[in-house]
Amino acid sequence: MRASTLFSLAAASASTAAHLPHNTHTPVLARDDNPGCTADSFNDFDWSISDIVYNTSIVFSTPAHQVPSGIVQFNLTNPALTYTAVCKAFSSQLSGFFYGDIVYTCTEPSNATSTTFTFNAGTQLLDVNQTWTCSDEDAEYPDTFTYAGAVNLTLDCSATSYQNPNWTLGEIFLQNTTYCTQDDVTITPYLATAVA
Ligand SMILES: *[C@@H]1O[C@H](CO)[C@@H](O)[C@H](O)[C@H]1NC(C)=O
Ligand SMILES: *[C@@H]1O[C@H](CO)[C@@H](O)[C@H](O)[C@H]1NC(C)=O
Ligand SMILES: *[C@@H]1O[C@H](CO)[C@@H](O)[C@H](O)[C@H]1NC(C)=O
Ligand SMILES: *[C@@H]1O[C@H](CO)[C@@H](O)[C@H](O)[C@H]1NC(C)=O
Ligand SMILES: *[C@@H]1O[C@H](CO)[C@@H](O)[C@H](O)[C@H]1NC(C)=O
Ligand SMILES: *[C@@H]1O[C@H](CO)[C@@H](O)[C@H](O)[C@H]1NC(C)=O
Ligand SMILES: *[C@@H]1O[C@H](CO)[C@@H](O)[C@H](O)[C@H]1NC(C)=O
C-alpha cells in the first residue's frame, strides 16, 4: 500500500525592528571586525534563512516497535557577518516532533556569535535569536547586538506511507515519512538591542 498527500499552510511575515540606544560597556574577548559589521547590523537588518528542511519518519520494525525521528535544519545568514550559522535539530518525540519548547543552538565558525532557535512543527513558527559583536568601528568599545525574530514558515510537505503486505520478522512492517521543503525566507527582528 502506498499513499501520497500534499499540503501546505499559509504565510505571515515579520514585524519592525527597534534599536535601543547604546548604554553600558561590556568587555568582550571575541568579536568580528570585518568592515561594515557595525553599519550592516543597524541598516535595514534582515536575516536570510536558506536550505530549510523538515523531515520526519516513523519506522515500525514490528507492529509493536516504532522508531520516530524528525529533523529540522536551515542556514542563517546575517548581513553583518562573513559566515553562516548552521542550525540543525533532531527529535524522536511523538507525535509532533517539535513543539517550540526546546531551545537549540546553531553552530558557526566563530565563538563571537551565538545563535539559537525554537521550532514548532504544528504552527510552523520558527523563532530565532542571535548575539554578535562588531569591533570594526570601535575596537575599544565593540558593539554587541542581540536580536530576536520569528517567521511562520509555509512548508510544502509530502507524506509517504508504506506498509509491508506480507511482513516477516526482520523486515520493515510500516514506514511513514514526511518530506517538507520551504522557499528561502527573510526575518526582520521584532526585538533589537545594541550595547557598546
Ligand atoms: C573565542 O576565541 C578566541 C580566539 O580563538 C579566544 O581568544 C577567546 O578566548 C574565545 N572566547 C571565548 C569566550 O571562548
Ligand atoms: C549551509 O551551511 C553548510 C555548512 O556551512 C554548507 O555546507 C552549505 O553549503 C550551506 N548551504 C548554503 C546553500 O549555503
Ligand atoms: C529569543 O529571545 C526572546 C526575547 O528575549 C525570547 O522571548 C525567546 O524565547 C528567545 N528565543 C530563543 C529561540 O532563544
Ligand atoms: C504567525 O502566525 C500567528 C497566527 O496567525 C500570528 O499570530 C503571528 O503573529 C505570526 N508570527 C509571525 C512572526 O509572523
Ligand atoms: C501512516 O500514514 C498513514 C497515511 O498518511 C496514516 O493513515 C497512518 O495513521 C500513519 N500511521 C502512523 C503510525 O503514523
Ligand atoms: C508471504 O511470505 C512467505 C514467506 O516468504 C511466503 O511463504 C508466502 O507465500 C507469502 N504470502 C504471500 C501472500 O505473498
Ligand atoms: C529529507 O528527506 C529527503 C527525501 O527523502 C531526502 O532527500 C533528504 O536527504 C532528507 N534530508 C535530511 C536532512 O534528512
Side-chain angles (χ1 to χ4, degrees), residues 88-118:
K88 200 176 283 199
F90 300 92
S91 169
S92 57
Q93 210 180 335
L94 285 172
S95 57
F97 295 100
F98 296 96
Y99 297 90
D101 56 341
I102 298 177
V103 176
Y104 300 102
T105 302
C106 307
T107 57
E108 43 240 321
S110 164
N111 66 6
T113 300
S114 161
T115 311
T116 58
F117 73 98
T118 62

PDB file of all heavy atoms in Angstrom, residues 88-118:
ATOM      1  N   LYS A  88      20.497  23.017  13.221  1.00  0.00           N
ATOM      2  CA  LYS A  88      20.060  21.646  12.996  1.00  0.00           C
ATOM      3  C   LYS A  88      19.551  21.090  14.309  1.00  0.00           C
ATOM      4  O   LYS A  88      20.174  21.280  15.347  1.00  0.00           O
ATOM      5  CB  LYS A  88      21.287  20.832  12.536  1.00  0.00           C
ATOM      6  CG  LYS A  88      21.002  19.552  11.827  1.00  0.00           C
ATOM      7  CD  LYS A  88      22.288  18.899  11.349  1.00  0.00           C
ATOM      8  CE  LYS A  88      22.855  19.571  10.099  1.00  0.00           C
ATOM      9  NZ  LYS A  88      23.817  18.705   9.385  1.00  0.00           N
ATOM     10  N   ALA A  89      18.415  20.401  14.258  1.00  0.00           N
ATOM     11  CA  ALA A  89      17.906  19.766  15.476  1.00  0.00           C
ATOM     12  C   ALA A  89      17.238  18.448  15.125  1.00  0.00           C
ATOM     13  O   ALA A  89      16.633  18.312  14.057  1.00  0.00           O
ATOM     14  CB  ALA A  89      16.909  20.682  16.178  1.00  0.00           C
ATOM     15  N   PHE A  90      17.388  17.491  16.039  1.00  0.00           N
ATOM     16  CA  PHE A  90      16.768  16.176  15.873  1.00  0.00           C
ATOM     17  C   PHE A  90      15.780  15.959  17.008  1.00  0.00           C
ATOM     18  O   PHE A  90      15.968  16.462  18.113  1.00  0.00           O
ATOM     19  CB  PHE A  90      17.837  15.074  15.925  1.00  0.00           C
ATOM     20  CG  PHE A  90      18.875  15.193  14.867  1.00  0.00           C
ATOM     21  CD1 PHE A  90      20.053  15.891  15.108  1.00  0.00           C
ATOM     22  CD2 PHE A  90      18.681  14.637  13.616  1.00  0.00           C
ATOM     23  CE1 PHE A  90      21.013  16.024  14.124  1.00  0.00           C
ATOM     24  CE2 PHE A  90      19.641  14.765  12.619  1.00  0.00           C
ATOM     25  CZ  PHE A  90      20.806  15.463  12.878  1.00  0.00           C
ATOM     26  N   SER A  91      14.739  15.185  16.731  1.00  0.00           N
ATOM     27  CA  SER A  91      13.765  14.859  17.775  1.00  0.00           C
ATOM     28  C   SER A  91      13.195  13.475  17.523  1.00  0.00           C
ATOM     29  O   SER A  91      12.997  13.072  16.373  1.00  0.00           O
ATOM     30  CB  SER A  91      12.632  15.884  17.779  1.00  0.00           C
ATOM     31  OG  SER A  91      11.576  15.439  18.602  1.00  0.00           O
ATOM     32  N   SER A  92      12.923  12.768  18.614  1.00  0.00           N
ATOM     33  CA  SER A  92      12.212  11.494  18.483  1.00  0.00           C
ATOM     34  C   SER A  92      10.895  11.561  19.247  1.00  0.00           C
ATOM     35  O   SER A  92      10.337  10.546  19.626  1.00  0.00           O
ATOM     36  CB  SER A  92      13.082  10.347  19.015  1.00  0.00           C
ATOM     37  OG  SER A  92      13.432  10.599  20.359  1.00  0.00           O
ATOM     38  N   GLN A  93      10.424  12.789  19.465  1.00  0.00           N
ATOM     39  CA  GLN A  93       9.244  12.985  20.295  1.00  0.00           C
ATOM     40  C   GLN A  93       7.961  12.831  19.476  1.00  0.00           C
ATOM     41  O   GLN A  93       7.687  13.634  18.575  1.00  0.00           O
ATOM     42  CB  GLN A  93       9.311  14.385  20.916  1.00  0.00           C
ATOM     43  CG  GLN A  93       8.649  14.487  22.259  1.00  0.00           C
ATOM     44  CD  GLN A  93       8.756  15.892  22.824  1.00  0.00           C
ATOM     45  OE1 GLN A  93       9.665  16.652  22.472  1.00  0.00           O
ATOM     46  NE2 GLN A  93       7.837  16.250  23.692  1.00  0.00           N
ATOM     47  N   LEU A  94       7.185  11.827  19.788  1.00  0.00           N
ATOM     48  CA  LEU A  94       5.911  11.628  19.099  1.00  0.00           C
ATOM     49  C   LEU A  94       4.846  12.553  19.690  1.00  0.00           C
ATOM     50  O   LEU A  94       4.914  12.858  20.868  1.00  0.00           O
ATOM     51  CB  LEU A  94       5.462  10.167  19.251  1.00  0.00           C
ATOM     52  CG  LEU A  94       6.233   9.166  18.377  1.00  0.00           C
ATOM     53  CD1 LEU A  94       5.843   7.748  18.754  1.00  0.00           C
ATOM     54  CD2 LEU A  94       5.971   9.417  16.908  1.00  0.00           C
ATOM     55  N   SER A  95       3.848  12.955  18.942  1.00  0.00           N
ATOM     56  CA  SER A  95       3.779  12.678  17.514  1.00  0.00           C
ATOM     57  C   SER A  95       4.098  13.911  16.679  1.00  0.00           C
ATOM     58  O   SER A  95       4.149  13.841  15.469  1.00  0.00           O
ATOM     59  CB  SER A  95       2.356  12.202  17.157  1.00  0.00           C
ATOM     60  OG  SER A  95       1.432  13.223  17.562  1.00  0.00           O
ATOM     61  N   GLY A  96       4.415  15.009  17.356  1.00  0.00           N
ATOM     62  CA  GLY A  96       4.641  16.253  16.628  1.00  0.00           C
ATOM     63  C   GLY A  96       6.104  16.627  16.437  1.00  0.00           C
ATOM     64  O   GLY A  96       6.416  17.585  15.746  1.00  0.00           O
ATOM     65  N   PHE A  97       7.003  15.893  17.086  1.00  0.00           N
ATOM     66  CA  PHE A  97       8.455  16.061  16.978  1.00  0.00           C
ATOM     67  C   PHE A  97       8.972  17.385  17.551  1.00  0.00           C
ATOM     68  O   PHE A  97       9.832  17.382  18.421  1.00  0.00           O
ATOM     69  CB  PHE A  97       8.931  15.889  15.524  1.00  0.00           C
ATOM     70  CG  PHE A  97       8.718  14.506  15.010  1.00  0.00           C
ATOM     71  CD1 PHE A  97       7.631  14.194  14.201  1.00  0.00           C
ATOM     72  CD2 PHE A  97       9.584  13.491  15.368  1.00  0.00           C
ATOM     73  CE1 PHE A  97       7.422  12.902  13.745  1.00  0.00           C
ATOM     74  CE2 PHE A  97       9.386  12.199  14.916  1.00  0.00           C
ATOM     75  CZ  PHE A  97       8.306  11.912  14.108  1.00  0.00           C
ATOM     76  N   PHE A  98       8.468  18.515  17.038  1.00  0.00           N
ATOM     77  CA  PHE A  98       8.965  19.812  17.503  1.00  0.00           C
ATOM     78  C   PHE A  98       7.784  20.650  17.995  1.00  0.00           C
ATOM     79  O   PHE A  98       6.829  20.882  17.262  1.00  0.00           O
ATOM     80  CB  PHE A  98       9.719  20.538  16.389  1.00  0.00           C
ATOM     81  CG  PHE A  98      10.957  19.812  15.948  1.00  0.00           C
ATOM     82  CD1 PHE A  98      10.927  18.979  14.838  1.00  0.00           C
ATOM     83  CD2 PHE A  98      12.147  19.922  16.659  1.00  0.00           C
ATOM     84  CE1 PHE A  98      12.064  18.283  14.432  1.00  0.00           C
ATOM     85  CE2 PHE A  98      13.288  19.241  16.267  1.00  0.00           C
ATOM     86  CZ  PHE A  98      13.241  18.420  15.152  1.00  0.00           C
ATOM     87  N   TYR A  99       7.871  21.088  19.254  1.00  0.00           N
ATOM     88  CA  TYR A  99       6.748  21.778  19.885  1.00  0.00           C
ATOM     89  C   TYR A  99       7.094  23.225  20.256  1.00  0.00           C
ATOM     90  O   TYR A  99       6.329  23.894  20.947  1.00  0.00           O
ATOM     91  CB  TYR A  99       6.314  21.021  21.133  1.00  0.00           C
ATOM     92  CG  TYR A  99       5.807  19.631  20.826  1.00  0.00           C
ATOM     93  CD1 TYR A  99       6.682  18.549  20.806  1.00  0.00           C
ATOM     94  CD2 TYR A  99       4.473  19.421  20.512  1.00  0.00           C
ATOM     95  CE1 TYR A  99       6.228  17.279  20.500  1.00  0.00           C
ATOM     96  CE2 TYR A  99       4.006  18.150  20.215  1.00  0.00           C
ATOM     97  CZ  TYR A  99       4.888  17.083  20.206  1.00  0.00           C
ATOM     98  OH  TYR A  99       4.444  15.833  19.901  1.00  0.00           O
ATOM     99  N   GLY A 100       8.274  23.698  19.857  1.00  0.00           N
ATOM    100  CA  GLY A 100       8.657  25.072  20.163  1.00  0.00           C
ATOM    101  C   GLY A 100       9.119  25.278  21.588  1.00  0.00           C
ATOM    102  O   GLY A 100       9.312  26.413  22.021  1.00  0.00           O
ATOM    103  N   ASP A 101       9.315  24.192  22.319  1.00  0.00           N
ATOM    104  CA  ASP A 101       9.640  24.315  23.744  1.00  0.00           C
ATOM    105  C   ASP A 101      11.114  24.065  24.039  1.00  0.00           C
ATOM    106  O   ASP A 101      11.558  24.285  25.167  1.00  0.00           O
ATOM    107  CB  ASP A 101       8.766  23.366  24.566  1.00  0.00           C
ATOM    108  CG  ASP A 101       8.881  21.922  24.112  1.00  0.00           C
ATOM    109  OD1 ASP A 101       9.327  21.689  22.972  1.00  0.00           O
ATOM    110  OD2 ASP A 101       8.522  21.029  24.883  1.00  0.00           O
ATOM    111  N   ILE A 102      11.856  23.602  23.068  1.00  0.00           N
ATOM    112  CA  ILE A 102      13.278  23.323  23.303  1.00  0.00           C
ATOM    113  C   ILE A 102      14.112  24.323  22.508  1.00  0.00           C
ATOM    114  O   ILE A 102      13.879  24.535  21.314  1.00  0.00           O
ATOM    115  CB  ILE A 102      13.639  21.881  22.891  1.00  0.00           C
ATOM    116  CG1 ILE A 102      12.842  20.885  23.753  1.00  0.00           C
ATOM    117  CG2 ILE A 102      15.141  21.631  23.023  1.00  0.00           C
ATOM    118  CD1 ILE A 102      13.065  19.442  23.381  1.00  0.00           C
ATOM    119  N   VAL A 103      15.076  24.948  23.191  1.00  0.00           N
ATOM    120  CA  VAL A 103      15.958  25.916  22.532  1.00  0.00           C
ATOM    121  C   VAL A 103      17.187  25.169  22.004  1.00  0.00           C
ATOM    122  O   VAL A 103      17.910  24.529  22.768  1.00  0.00           O
ATOM    123  CB  VAL A 103      16.385  27.029  23.507  1.00  0.00           C
ATOM    124  CG1 VAL A 103      17.384  27.975  22.844  1.00  0.00           C
ATOM    125  CG2 VAL A 103      15.164  27.811  23.985  1.00  0.00           C
ATOM    126  N   TYR A 104      17.375  25.208  20.699  1.00  0.00           N
ATOM    127  CA  TYR A 104      18.508  24.554  20.052  1.00  0.00           C
ATOM    128  C   TYR A 104      19.566  25.599  19.702  1.00  0.00           C
ATOM    129  O   TYR A 104      19.236  26.750  19.402  1.00  0.00           O
ATOM    130  CB  TYR A 104      18.055  23.835  18.781  1.00  0.00           C
ATOM    131  CG  TYR A 104      17.020  22.769  19.016  1.00  0.00           C
ATOM    132  CD1 TYR A 104      15.672  23.012  18.739  1.00  0.00           C
ATOM    133  CD2 TYR A 104      17.367  21.518  19.531  1.00  0.00           C
ATOM    134  CE1 TYR A 104      14.705  22.043  18.961  1.00  0.00           C
ATOM    135  CE2 TYR A 104      16.409  20.542  19.751  1.00  0.00           C
ATOM    136  CZ  TYR A 104      15.084  20.806  19.462  1.00  0.00           C
ATOM    137  OH  TYR A 104      14.128  19.852  19.685  1.00  0.00           O
ATOM    138  N   THR A 105      20.824  25.180  19.730  1.00  0.00           N
ATOM    139  CA  THR A 105      21.941  26.069  19.439  1.00  0.00           C
ATOM    140  C   THR A 105      22.519  25.746  18.066  1.00  0.00           C
ATOM    141  O   THR A 105      22.785  24.583  17.749  1.00  0.00           O
ATOM    142  CB  THR A 105      23.021  25.911  20.519  1.00  0.00           C
ATOM    143  OG1 THR A 105      22.432  26.195  21.789  1.00  0.00           O
ATOM    144  CG2 THR A 105      24.182  26.868  20.290  1.00  0.00           C
ATOM    145  N   CYS A 106      22.716  26.763  17.262  1.00  0.00           N
ATOM    146  CA  CYS A 106      23.302  26.591  15.933  1.00  0.00           C
ATOM    147  C   CYS A 106      24.826  26.561  16.052  1.00  0.00           C
ATOM    148  O   CYS A 106      25.377  26.974  17.071  1.00  0.00           O
ATOM    149  CB  CYS A 106      22.871  27.729  15.017  1.00  0.00           C
ATOM    150  SG  CYS A 106      21.073  27.979  14.933  1.00  0.00           S
ATOM    151  N   THR A 107      25.481  26.117  14.998  1.00  0.00           N
ATOM    152  CA  THR A 107      26.939  26.124  15.000  1.00  0.00           C
ATOM    153  C   THR A 107      27.437  27.143  13.988  1.00  0.00           C
ATOM    154  O   THR A 107      26.822  27.357  12.938  1.00  0.00           O
ATOM    155  CB  THR A 107      27.519  24.745  14.655  1.00  0.00           C
ATOM    156  OG1 THR A 107      27.008  24.340  13.395  1.00  0.00           O
ATOM    157  CG2 THR A 107      27.145  23.711  15.707  1.00  0.00           C
ATOM    158  N   GLU A 108      28.537  27.801  14.338  1.00  0.00           N
ATOM    159  CA  GLU A 108      29.158  28.779  13.450  1.00  0.00           C
ATOM    160  C   GLU A 108      30.658  28.749  13.695  1.00  0.00           C
ATOM    161  O   GLU A 108      31.097  28.298  14.750  1.00  0.00           O
ATOM    162  CB  GLU A 108      28.592  30.187  13.667  1.00  0.00           C
ATOM    163  CG  GLU A 108      28.418  30.587  15.111  1.00  0.00           C
ATOM    164  CD  GLU A 108      26.961  30.902  15.422  1.00  0.00           C
ATOM    165  OE1 GLU A 108      26.301  31.502  14.579  1.00  0.00           O
ATOM    166  OE2 GLU A 108      26.495  30.540  16.492  1.00  0.00           O
ATOM    167  N   PRO A 109      31.433  29.210  12.727  1.00  0.00           N
ATOM    168  CA  PRO A 109      32.877  29.079  12.840  1.00  0.00           C
ATOM    169  C   PRO A 109      33.522  30.119  13.747  1.00  0.00           C
ATOM    170  O   PRO A 109      34.731  30.289  13.710  1.00  0.00           O
ATOM    171  CB  PRO A 109      33.349  29.245  11.388  1.00  0.00           C
ATOM    172  CG  PRO A 109      32.303  30.085  10.762  1.00  0.00           C
ATOM    173  CD  PRO A 109      31.020  29.727  11.419  1.00  0.00           C
ATOM    174  N   SER A 110      32.733  30.816  14.545  1.00  0.00           N
ATOM    175  CA  SER A 110      33.275  31.850  15.419  1.00  0.00           C
ATOM    176  C   SER A 110      32.595  31.762  16.766  1.00  0.00           C
ATOM    177  O   SER A 110      31.380  31.592  16.846  1.00  0.00           O
ATOM    178  CB  SER A 110      33.012  33.232  14.805  1.00  0.00           C
ATOM    179  OG  SER A 110      33.202  34.235  15.784  1.00  0.00           O
ATOM    180  N   ASN A 111      33.356  31.895  17.842  1.00  0.00           N
ATOM    181  CA  ASN A 111      32.718  31.924  19.154  1.00  0.00           C
ATOM    182  C   ASN A 111      32.293  33.341  19.529  1.00  0.00           C
ATOM    183  O   ASN A 111      31.847  33.582  20.634  1.00  0.00           O
ATOM    184  CB  ASN A 111      33.623  31.290  20.219  1.00  0.00           C
ATOM    185  CG  ASN A 111      34.887  32.101  20.439  1.00  0.00           C
ATOM    186  OD1 ASN A 111      35.046  33.191  19.890  1.00  0.00           O
ATOM    187  ND2 ASN A 111      35.776  31.565  21.263  1.00  0.00           N
ATOM    188  N   ALA A 112      32.400  34.267  18.580  1.00  0.00           N
ATOM    189  CA  ALA A 112      31.934  35.629  18.824  1.00  0.00           C
ATOM    190  C   ALA A 112      30.423  35.732  18.660  1.00  0.00           C
ATOM    191  O   ALA A 112      29.831  36.745  19.008  1.00  0.00           O
ATOM    192  CB  ALA A 112      32.618  36.591  17.858  1.00  0.00           C
ATOM    193  N   THR A 113      29.824  34.712  18.111  1.00  0.00           N
ATOM    194  CA  THR A 113      28.411  34.754  17.771  1.00  0.00           C
ATOM    195  C   THR A 113      27.699  33.570  18.400  1.00  0.00           C
ATOM    196  O   THR A 113      28.258  32.475  18.472  1.00  0.00           O
ATOM    197  CB  THR A 113      28.248  34.722  16.231  1.00  0.00           C
ATOM    198  OG1 THR A 113      28.920  35.852  15.694  1.00  0.00           O
ATOM    199  CG2 THR A 113      26.790  34.763  15.822  1.00  0.00           C
ATOM    200  N   SER A 114      26.497  33.828  18.859  1.00  0.00           N
ATOM    201  CA  SER A 114      25.683  32.752  19.420  1.00  0.00           C
ATOM    202  C   SER A 114      24.301  32.822  18.790  1.00  0.00           C
ATOM    203  O   SER A 114      23.664  33.873  18.781  1.00  0.00           O
ATOM    204  CB  SER A 114      25.603  32.929  20.941  1.00  0.00           C
ATOM    205  OG  SER A 114      24.504  32.203  21.443  1.00  0.00           O
ATOM    206  N   THR A 115      23.858  31.709  18.243  1.00  0.00           N
ATOM    207  CA  THR A 115      22.574  31.670  17.547  1.00  0.00           C
ATOM    208  C   THR A 115      21.738  30.543  18.125  1.00  0.00           C
ATOM    209  O   THR A 115      22.224  29.422  18.266  1.00  0.00           O
ATOM    210  CB  THR A 115      22.786  31.435  16.031  1.00  0.00           C
ATOM    211  OG1 THR A 115      23.769  32.347  15.557  1.00  0.00           O
ATOM    212  CG2 THR A 115      21.498  31.622  15.264  1.00  0.00           C
ATOM    213  N   THR A 116      20.491  30.835  18.471  1.00  0.00           N
ATOM    214  CA  THR A 116      19.594  29.807  18.986  1.00  0.00           C
ATOM    215  C   THR A 116      18.272  29.871  18.239  1.00  0.00           C
ATOM    216  O   THR A 116      17.927  30.897  17.640  1.00  0.00           O
ATOM    217  CB  THR A 116      19.309  29.986  20.494  1.00  0.00           C
ATOM    218  OG1 THR A 116      18.751  31.282  20.704  1.00  0.00           O
ATOM    219  CG2 THR A 116      20.570  29.830  21.330  1.00  0.00           C
ATOM    220  N   PHE A 117      17.539  28.752  18.281  1.00  0.00           N
ATOM    221  CA  PHE A 117      16.216  28.760  17.659  1.00  0.00           C
ATOM    222  C   PHE A 117      15.285  27.786  18.358  1.00  0.00           C
ATOM    223  O   PHE A 117      15.731  26.871  19.046  1.00  0.00           O
ATOM    224  CB  PHE A 117      16.308  28.426  16.165  1.00  0.00           C
ATOM    225  CG  PHE A 117      16.594  26.986  15.834  1.00  0.00           C
ATOM    226  CD1 PHE A 117      15.571  26.112  15.496  1.00  0.00           C
ATOM    227  CD2 PHE A 117      17.888  26.503  15.849  1.00  0.00           C
ATOM    228  CE1 PHE A 117      15.836  24.785  15.186  1.00  0.00           C
ATOM    229  CE2 PHE A 117      18.170  25.182  15.534  1.00  0.00           C
ATOM    230  CZ  PHE A 117      17.136  24.314  15.196  1.00  0.00           C
ATOM    231  N   THR A 118      13.991  28.034  18.195  1.00  0.00           N
ATOM    232  CA  THR A 118      12.971  27.051  18.525  1.00  0.00           C
ATOM    233  C   THR A 118      12.120  26.852  17.283  1.00  0.00           C
ATOM    234  O   THR A 118      12.037  27.730  16.415  1.00  0.00           O
ATOM    235  CB  THR A 118      12.060  27.501  19.688  1.00  0.00           C
ATOM    236  OG1 THR A 118      11.375  28.685  19.303  1.00  0.00           O
ATOM    237  CG2 THR A 118      12.851  27.753  20.966  1.00  0.00           C
TER     238      THR A 118
END
